[in-house]
Amino acid sequence: MNIKEIIGLINDAMNEMDYIAARKYMEKNLDVLDGRKHLLNRNARELYDFVKNRVDSGHQGLSKQDMAAIHAINIYAEKFDLRGLKLMVKERPQLFMLREAEGYLNNDAKVILIGMGVLKKEAVS
């Protein structure tokens, strides 16, 4: 895919308000877009700056598997299924070390996980 196609796809995605697709195109083609940011439309340039800063700072987003695990944890917490929660904590301990993951947990999950000692008290907002 050449640069014109990539920029066209990004600009079209931004015009259609498909920010996820635009972000994925940008993440895959950061090296190509590096000197050609001026070819993007205004909203796409702002998203590019955001994506570039996150990548430069070493931030990695949550994967689909992580999001699915968080969703399952939230469901277990709503049903007060401690057995399922303990199993999820045991299978994915690294997930609770990510600050971004705490933002996706519902209040039930946060309270139960704090009681279990998985999260610190500051996680509840």
Side-chain angles (χ1 to χ4, degrees):
M1 196 178 312
N2 67 24
I3 187 66
K4 288 183 181 181
E5 291 175 9
I6 294 169
I7 290 176
L9 287 171
I10 292 170
N11 285 334
D12 289 342
M14 291 299 293
N15 290 337
E16 295 173 11
M17 295 185 188
D18 187 4
Y19 302 120
I20 295 171
R23 180 183 52 85
K24 288 185 181 189
Y25 288 134
M26 287 179 191
E27 287 173 347
K28 289 179 184 176
N29 299 295
L30 273 177
D31 54 339
V32 175
L33 294 171
D34 198 24
R36 298 173 179 94
K37 180 176 118 173
H38 65 281
L39 297 174
L40 297 170
N41 64 25
R42 182 174 174 247
N43 291 338
R45 281 192 302 266
E46 290 179 21
L47 182 63
Y48 173 79
D49 290 337
F50 177 76
V51 169
K52 181 79 169 153
N53 289 337
R54 286 176 61 101
V55 169
D56 289 345
S57 68
H59 178 68
Q60 294 177 337
L62 296 175
S63 66
K64 286 184 180 182
Q65 293 83 11
D66 292 338
M67 290 300 293
I70 290 171
H71 180 68
I73 289 166
N74 286 335
I75 291 173
Y76 287 138
E78 286 176 8
K79 295 180 180 179
F80 202 70
D81 183 357
L82 296 179
R83 179 189 240 178
L85 274 171
K86 287 180 182 179
L87 182 64
M88 292 301 293
V89 169
K90 187 176 182 180
E91 287 180 1
R92 296 188 169 266
Q94 76 282 1
L95 181 62
F96 302 101
M97 294 179 196
L98 301 174
R99 207 170 249 255
E100 188 172 336
E102 292 176 6
Y104 291 102
L105 293 171
N106 62 19
N107 286 337
D108 295 334
K110 288 178 184 178
V111 170
I112 294 171
L113 292 172
I114 287 171
M116 292 172 61
V118 175
L119 294 178
K120 294 181 181 176
K121 187 130 180 131
E122 298 87 39
V124 176
S125 50

